[in-house]
Coordinates of all heavy atoms in Angstrom, one line a residue:
Chain A
S2 N 78.1 101.3 190.4 CA 79.5 101.3 190.1 C 79.7 101.1 188.6 O 79.0 100.3 188.0 CB 80.2 100.2 190.9 OG 79.8 98.9 190.4
H3 N 80.6 101.8 188.1 CA 80.9 101.6 186.7 C 82.1 100.8 186.6 O 83.2 101.3 186.1 CB 81.1 103.0 186.0 CG 80.0 103.9 186.2 ND1 78.8 103.9 185.5 CD2 79.8 104.9 187.2 CE1 78.0 104.8 185.9 NE2 78.5 105.4 186.9
G4 N 82.1 99.6 187.0 CA 83.3 98.9 187.0 C 83.8 98.5 185.7 O 84.9 98.6 185.3
D5 N 82.8 98.0 184.9 CA 83.2 97.4 183.6 C 83.4 98.4 182.6 O 82.5 99.1 182.1 CB 82.1 96.4 183.2 CG 82.5 95.5 182.1 OD1 83.7 95.6 181.7 OD2 81.7 94.8 181.6
H6 N 84.7 98.6 182.2 CA 85.0 99.7 181.3 C 85.0 99.2 179.9 O 85.4 99.9 179.0 CB 86.4 100.3 181.6 CG 86.3 101.1 182.8 ND1 87.3 102.0 183.2 CD2 85.4 101.3 183.8 CE1 87.0 102.6 184.3 NE2 85.9 102.2 184.7
R8 N 82.5 98.3 178.2 CA 81.3 98.7 177.5 C 81.1 100.2 177.7 O 81.2 100.6 178.8 CB 80.1 97.9 178.0 CG 80.1 96.4 177.6 CD 79.1 95.7 178.4 NE 77.8 96.1 178.2 CZ 77.0 95.6 177.3 NH1 77.4 94.6 176.5 NH2 75.8 96.0 177.1
D9 N 80.7 100.8 176.7 CA 80.4 102.2 176.8 C 79.1 102.4 177.7 O 78.3 101.4 177.8 CB 80.1 102.9 175.5 CG 81.4 102.9 174.7 OD1 82.5 102.8 175.3 OD2 81.3 103.0 173.4
P10 N 78.9 103.6 178.2 CA 77.7 103.7 179.0 C 76.4 103.7 178.1 O 76.5 103.7 176.9 CB 77.8 105.1 179.6 CG 78.8 105.8 178.8 CD 79.7 104.7 178.2
Y13 N 75.1 104.8 174.3 CA 76.0 104.5 173.2 C 76.3 103.1 173.0 O 76.7 102.6 172.0 CB 77.3 105.3 173.4 CG 77.1 106.7 173.6 CD1 77.2 107.3 174.9 CD2 76.9 107.6 172.5 CE1 77.0 108.6 175.0 CE2 76.7 108.9 172.7 CZ 76.7 109.4 174.0 OH 76.5 110.8 174.1
D88 N 72.8 93.6 188.4 CA 72.9 92.2 188.8 C 72.4 91.3 187.7 O 71.9 91.9 186.7 CB 72.1 92.0 190.2 CG 70.7 92.3 190.1 OD1 70.2 92.7 189.0 OD2 70.0 92.3 191.1
P89 N 72.5 90.0 187.8 CA 72.1 89.2 186.7 C 70.7 89.3 186.3 O 70.3 89.0 185.2 CB 72.4 87.8 187.2 CG 73.4 88.0 188.3 CD 73.1 89.3 188.9
V131 N 78.2 83.4 186.6 CA 78.5 83.5 188.1 C 79.3 82.3 188.6 O 80.2 82.4 189.4 CB 77.1 83.6 188.8 CG1 77.3 83.5 190.3 CG2 76.5 84.9 188.5
L132 N 78.9 81.1 188.0 CA 79.6 79.9 188.4 C 81.1 80.0 188.1 O 81.9 79.7 188.9 CB 79.0 78.8 187.7 CG 79.0 77.4 188.4 CD1 78.3 77.5 189.7 CD2 78.3 76.4 187.5
N134 N 82.8 82.7 187.7 CA 83.5 83.6 188.6 C 83.8 83.0 190.0 O 84.9 83.1 190.5 CB 82.5 84.8 188.9 CG 82.9 86.0 188.2 OD1 84.0 86.1 187.7 ND2 82.1 87.0 188.2
R135 N 82.9 82.2 190.5 CA 83.1 81.6 191.8 C 84.2 80.5 191.7 O 85.0 80.4 192.6 CB 81.8 81.0 192.3 CG 80.8 82.0 192.5 CD 80.4 82.0 194.0 NE 79.8 83.2 194.3 CZ 79.7 83.7 195.5 NH1 80.1 83.1 196.5 NH2 79.1 84.9 195.7
F137 N 86.6 80.2 189.6 CA 88.0 80.7 189.4 C 88.5 81.6 190.5 O 89.6 82.1 190.4 CB 88.1 81.4 188.0 CG 88.1 80.4 186.9 CD1 87.3 80.7 185.8 CD2 88.8 79.3 186.9 CE1 87.3 79.8 184.8 CE2 88.9 78.4 185.9 CZ 88.1 78.7 184.8
A138 N 87.7 81.9 191.5 CA 88.1 82.8 192.5 C 89.1 82.1 193.4 O 88.9 81.0 193.8 CB 86.9 83.3 193.3
Q139 N 90.2 82.7 193.6 CA 91.2 82.1 194.5 C 91.3 82.8 195.8 O 91.3 84.1 195.9 CB 92.6 82.3 193.8 CG 92.7 81.7 192.4 CD 92.7 80.2 192.5 OE1 93.3 79.7 193.5 NE2 92.1 79.5 191.6
P140 N 91.3 82.1 196.9 CA 91.5 82.8 198.2 C 92.9 83.3 198.3 O 93.8 82.9 197.6 CB 91.2 81.6 199.2 CG 91.5 80.4 198.4 CD 91.2 80.7 197.0
I141 N 93.0 84.3 199.1 CA 94.3 85.0 199.2 C 95.2 84.0 200.0 O 94.9 83.6 201.1 CB 94.1 86.3 200.0 CG1 93.2 87.2 199.3 CG2 95.4 86.9 200.2 CD1 92.9 88.5 199.9
P142 N 96.3 83.7 199.4 CA 97.2 82.8 200.1 C 97.9 83.5 201.3 O 98.0 84.7 201.3 CB 98.3 82.5 199.1 CG 98.2 83.6 198.1 CD 96.9 84.2 198.2
P143 N 98.2 82.8 202.3 CA 98.8 83.4 203.5 C 100.2 84.0 203.1 O 101.0 83.3 202.4 CB 98.9 82.3 204.5 CG 98.9 81.0 203.7 CD 98.1 81.3 202.5
M144 N 100.4 85.1 203.7 CA 101.7 85.7 203.4 C 102.8 85.1 204.2 O 102.6 84.8 205.4 CB 101.6 87.2 203.7 CG 101.1 88.0 202.6 SD 101.7 89.7 202.6 CE 101.2 90.2 204.2
Q145 N 103.9 85.0 203.7 CA 105.1 84.5 204.5 C 105.8 85.7 204.9 O 106.0 86.7 204.3 CB 105.9 83.6 203.6 CG 105.3 82.3 203.3 CD 106.2 81.5 202.4 OE1 107.2 81.9 202.0 NE2 105.7 80.3 202.1
I146 N 106.4 85.5 206.1 CA 107.2 86.7 206.7 C 108.4 86.8 205.8 O 109.2 85.8 205.7 CB 107.5 86.4 208.1 CG1 106.2 86.1 208.9 CG2 108.3 87.5 208.7 CD1 106.5 85.6 210.3
A151 N 110.8 94.3 203.8 CA 111.0 95.0 202.5 C 110.9 96.5 202.8 O 111.5 97.3 202.1 CB 109.9 94.6 201.5
A152 N 110.1 96.9 203.7 CA 110.0 98.4 204.0 C 110.4 98.6 205.5 O 110.3 97.7 206.3 CB 108.6 98.8 203.8
P153 N 110.8 99.7 205.8 CA 111.2 100.0 207.2 C 110.1 99.8 208.1 O 110.3 99.7 209.3 CB 111.7 101.5 207.2 CG 111.3 102.0 205.9 CD 111.1 100.9 204.9
P155 N 107.5 101.5 209.6 CA 107.5 102.4 210.7 C 106.2 102.2 211.5 O 105.2 102.8 211.3 CB 107.5 103.8 210.1 CG 106.9 103.6 208.7 CD 107.2 102.2 208.3
V157 N 104.3 103.1 214.0 CA 104.1 104.1 215.1 C 103.0 103.6 216.0 O 103.0 103.8 217.2 CB 103.6 105.4 214.5 CG1 103.4 106.4 215.5 CG2 104.7 105.9 213.5
A158 N 102.1 102.9 215.5 CA 101.0 102.3 216.3 C 101.5 101.2 217.2 O 102.5 100.6 216.9 CB 99.9 101.8 215.5
H159 N 100.9 101.0 218.2 CA 101.3 100.0 219.1 C 100.2 99.1 219.5 O 99.1 99.6 219.8 CB 102.0 100.5 220.4 CG 102.0 102.0 220.4 ND1 103.0 102.7 219.7 CD2 101.1 102.9 220.9 CE1 102.8 104.0 219.9 NE2 101.6 104.2 220.6
Chain B
Y268 N 75.4 78.5 197.8 CA 76.6 78.5 197.0 C 76.8 79.8 196.3 O 77.9 80.3 196.1 CB 76.6 77.3 196.1 CG 77.9 77.2 195.2 CD1 79.1 76.8 195.8 CD2 77.8 77.5 193.9 CE1 80.2 76.8 195.1 CE2 79.0 77.4 193.1 CZ 80.2 77.1 193.7 OH 81.3 77.0 193.0
F269 N 75.7 80.3 195.9 CA 75.8 81.6 195.1 C 75.7 82.8 196.1 O 76.1 83.9 195.8 CB 74.6 81.7 194.1 CG 74.8 80.7 193.0 CD1 74.1 79.6 193.0 CD2 75.7 81.0 192.0 CE1 74.3 78.7 191.9 CE2 75.9 80.1 191.0 CZ 75.1 79.0 190.9
K271 N 76.5 83.0 199.5 CA 77.6 83.2 200.5 C 78.9 83.6 199.8 O 79.0 83.3 198.6 CB 77.8 82.0 201.3 CG 76.6 81.7 202.2 CD 77.0 81.8 203.7 CE 75.8 81.8 204.6 NZ 75.2 80.4 204.7
P272 N 79.8 84.1 200.5 CA 81.1 84.4 199.8 C 81.7 83.1 199.3 O 81.4 82.0 199.8 CB 81.9 85.0 201.0 CG 80.9 85.4 202.0 CD 79.8 84.6 201.9
A273 N 82.7 83.3 198.4 CA 83.2 82.1 197.8 C 84.2 81.4 198.7 O 84.4 80.2 198.5 CB 84.0 82.5 196.5
F274 N 84.6 82.0 199.7 CA 85.5 81.3 200.6 C 85.0 81.4 202.0 O 84.3 82.4 202.4 CB 86.9 81.9 200.6 CG 87.3 82.5 199.3 CD1 87.3 83.8 199.0 CD2 87.6 81.6 198.2 CE1 87.7 84.3 197.8 CE2 87.9 82.1 197.0 CZ 87.9 83.5 196.8
P279 N 93.9 85.6 205.1 CA 94.8 84.7 205.8 C 94.9 85.2 207.3 O 94.6 86.3 207.6 CB 96.1 84.7 205.1 CG 96.1 85.9 204.3 CD 94.7 86.3 204.0
L282 N 99.5 88.1 210.6 CA 100.9 87.9 210.8 C 101.3 88.2 212.3 O 100.6 88.9 213.0 CB 101.8 88.7 209.9 CG 101.6 88.4 208.4 CD1 102.4 89.4 207.7 CD2 102.1 87.0 208.1
P283 N 102.4 87.6 212.7 CA 102.8 87.9 214.1 C 103.1 89.4 214.3 O 103.3 90.1 213.3 CB 104.0 87.1 214.3 CG 104.4 86.5 213.0 CD 103.2 86.6 212.1
H286 N 104.9 92.5 212.2 CA 104.5 92.9 210.9 C 103.0 93.3 210.8 O 102.6 93.9 209.9 CB 104.7 91.7 209.9 CG 106.1 91.3 209.9 ND1 107.1 91.8 209.1 CD2 106.7 90.3 210.6 CE1 108.2 91.2 209.3 NE2 108.1 90.3 210.2
D297 N 85.2 102.2 194.5 CA 84.6 103.1 193.7 C 83.8 104.1 194.5 O 83.0 103.7 195.3 CB 83.6 102.4 192.7 CG 83.3 103.3 191.5 OD1 84.2 103.9 191.0 OD2 82.1 103.3 191.2
S303 N 85.0 106.6 188.2 CA 85.1 106.4 186.8 C 84.1 107.3 186.1 O 83.0 107.4 186.5 CB 84.7 104.9 186.4 OG 85.4 104.0 187.2
W305 N 82.8 108.7 182.0 CA 82.9 108.5 180.5 C 82.5 109.8 179.9 O 81.5 110.4 180.2 CB 82.0 107.4 180.1 CG 82.1 107.0 178.7 CD1 82.9 106.0 178.2 CD2 81.4 107.5 177.6 NE1 82.7 105.9 176.8 CE2 81.8 106.8 176.4 CE3 80.5 108.6 177.4 CZ2 81.4 107.1 175.2 CZ3 80.0 108.9 176.1 CH2 80.5 108.1 175.0
W311 N 86.4 106.2 178.6 CA 86.4 105.9 180.1 C 87.6 106.5 180.7 O 88.7 106.3 180.2 CB 86.4 104.4 180.3 CG 85.0 103.8 180.2 CD1 84.6 102.9 179.3 CD2 84.0 103.9 181.1 NE1 83.3 102.5 179.5 CE2 82.9 103.1 180.7 CE3 83.8 104.7 182.3 CZ2 81.7 103.0 181.3 CZ3 82.6 104.6 183.0 CH2 81.6 103.8 182.5
T313 N 89.5 106.9 184.8 CA 89.3 106.6 186.2 C 90.2 107.7 186.9 O 91.4 107.8 186.7 CB 89.9 105.3 186.5 OG1 89.3 104.3 185.6 CG2 89.5 104.9 187.9
Q328 N 100.5 102.8 208.2 CA 101.3 102.7 209.4 C 100.5 102.2 210.6 O 101.0 101.5 211.5 CB 101.9 104.0 209.8 CG 102.8 104.6 208.8 CD 103.1 106.0 209.3 OE1 103.4 106.2 210.4 NE2 103.1 106.9 208.3
F329 N 99.2 102.5 210.6 CA 98.4 102.2 211.8 C 97.5 101.0 211.5 O 97.1 100.3 212.4 CB 97.5 103.3 212.2 CG 98.3 104.6 212.4 CD1 98.2 105.6 211.5 CD2 99.0 104.7 213.6 CE1 98.9 106.8 211.8 CE2 99.7 105.9 213.8 CZ 99.7 106.9 212.9
Q338 N 83.0 95.1 193.1 CA 83.2 94.9 191.7 C 83.9 93.5 191.6 O 84.7 93.1 192.4 CB 84.1 96.0 191.1 CG 83.4 97.3 191.1 CD 84.3 98.4 190.6 OE1 85.3 98.0 189.9 NE2 84.1 99.6 190.9
T342 N 87.6 93.6 186.8 CA 87.5 95.0 186.6 C 88.2 95.8 187.6 O 88.8 96.9 187.4 CB 86.0 95.5 186.6 OG1 85.5 95.2 187.9 CG2 85.2 94.8 185.5
K360 N 93.3 92.3 198.9 CA 92.2 92.9 198.0 C 91.1 91.8 197.9 O 91.3 90.7 197.5 CB 92.8 93.2 196.6 CG 94.0 94.1 196.7 CD 94.5 94.3 195.3 CE 95.8 95.1 195.3 NZ 96.9 94.4 195.8
L361 N 89.9 92.2 198.2 CA 88.8 91.3 198.1 C 87.8 91.9 197.1 O 87.5 93.1 197.1 CB 88.1 91.2 199.5 CG 89.0 90.6 200.6 CD1 88.3 90.7 201.9 CD2 89.4 89.2 200.3
E364 N 83.6 88.3 194.6 CA 83.4 86.9 195.0 C 83.4 86.8 196.6 O 83.0 85.7 197.1 CB 84.5 86.0 194.5 CG 84.6 86.0 193.0 CD 85.4 87.1 192.5 OE1 86.4 87.6 193.2 OE2 85.1 87.6 191.4
Y368 N 75.3 87.8 199.3 CA 74.0 88.2 199.0 C 73.1 88.1 200.2 O 72.8 87.0 200.6 CB 73.4 87.4 197.9 CG 73.3 88.1 196.6 CD1 73.8 87.4 195.4 CD2 72.8 89.3 196.4 CE1 73.7 88.1 194.2 CE2 72.7 90.0 195.2 CZ 73.2 89.3 194.1 OH 73.2 89.9 192.9
S433 N 95.0 103.6 220.4 CA 94.8 102.2 220.6 C 93.7 101.8 221.5 O 93.9 101.2 222.5 CB 96.1 101.5 221.1 OG 97.1 101.8 220.2
A514 N 107.8 109.5 209.7 CA 107.9 108.2 209.3 C 107.4 108.0 207.9 O 108.0 107.3 207.0 CB 107.2 107.2 210.2
Y521 N 112.3 105.9 200.9 CA 112.8 104.6 200.7 C 112.2 104.0 199.4 O 112.9 103.4 198.6 CB 112.4 103.7 201.9 CG 112.7 102.2 201.6 CD1 113.9 101.7 201.9 CD2 111.7 101.4 201.2 CE1 114.2 100.4 201.7 CE2 111.9 100.0 201.0 CZ 113.2 99.6 201.2 OH 113.5 98.3 201.0
V552 N 92.9 75.7 184.3 CA 91.8 75.4 185.2 C 91.7 76.3 186.4 O 90.7 76.8 186.8 CB 91.8 73.9 185.5 CG1 90.7 73.6 186.5 CG2 91.6 73.1 184.3
T553 N 92.9 76.4 187.0 CA 92.9 77.1 188.3 C 93.1 78.6 188.1 O 93.2 79.3 189.0 CB 94.0 76.6 189.2 OG1 95.3 76.8 188.5 CG2 93.8 75.1 189.4
A556 N 97.0 80.2 190.0 CA 97.0 80.6 191.4 C 98.4 81.1 191.7 O 99.4 80.5 191.3 CB 96.6 79.4 192.3
A563 N 105.0 87.1 199.0 CA 105.9 87.6 200.0 C 107.0 88.4 199.4 O 107.4 89.5 199.9 CB 106.5 86.5 200.8
K566 N 106.5 92.0 198.9 CA 106.4 92.9 200.1 C 107.7 93.5 200.3 O 108.7 92.9 200.2 CB 106.0 92.1 201.3 CG 104.6 91.5 201.1 CD 103.6 92.6 201.2 CE 102.3 92.1 200.5 NZ 101.7 93.2 199.8

Side-chain angles (χ1 to χ4, degrees):
Chain A
S2 69
H3 306 277
D5 192 3
H6 286 193
R8 290 164 63 91
D9 294 337
Y13 303 100
D88 58 6
V131 171
L132 210 59
N134 253 349
R135 297 243 159 199
F137 285 135
Q139 301 288 326
I141 301 180
M144 273 206 304
Q145 294 178 354
I146 305 171
V157 179
H159 1 276
Chain B
Y268 181 70
F269 291 102
K271 292 242 168 76
F274 328 106
L282 295 175
H286 303 273
D297 199 46
S303 312
W305 187 93
W311 277 114
T313 312
Q328 298 173 43
F329 306 105
Q338 293 178 23
T342 61
K360 305 177 184 67
L361 299 172
E364 299 85 32
Y368 253 132
S433 303
Y521 173 82
V552 174
T553 62
K566 297 288 158 220

